[in-house]
Amino acid sequence: MKKLQIIALLASVFLLQACVHKLVTVPVKVAYKTTKGVVKGTVAVTKAIIPGDSDKSDNDKDDKE
């Protein structure tokens, strides 16, 4: 009887493993996508606020030549 309980316990652990995987990975994916969008928005705003930032590298090249 003891062996049957252990086998049932192990079988249930393997069957529930996919559910636990979903519970862990779905919130992480949502947080990643949200953070990724916020960072992209911040970069876009920063580039809009600081004009000429990309031109600075072009000016450095002209100075070196």
Side-chain angles (χ1 to χ4, degrees):
M1 193 64 173
K2 198 79 157 160
K3 287 183 183 181
L4 182 61
Q5 290 175 345
I6 293 174
I7 291 172
L9 181 65
L10 288 175
S12 64
V13 166
F14 285 120
L15 290 173
L16 290 174
Q17 185 176 3
C19 297
V20 171
H21 177 72
K22 276 261 194 226
L23 286 173
V24 172
T25 57
V26 170
V28 171
K29 287 180 182 178
V30 169
Y32 172 74
K33 288 180 182 179
T34 304
T35 306
K36 185 175 156 184
V38 168
V39 169
K40 283 185 177 182
T42 305
V43 169
V45 168
T46 305
K47 285 185 177 181
I49 291 174
I50 305 173
D53 189 32
S54 60
D55 295 335
K56 184 177 180 182
S57 62
D58 293 337
N59 292 337
D60 290 341
K61 288 179 186 175
D62 293 338
D63 293 340
K64 290 180 183 176
E65 293 176 357

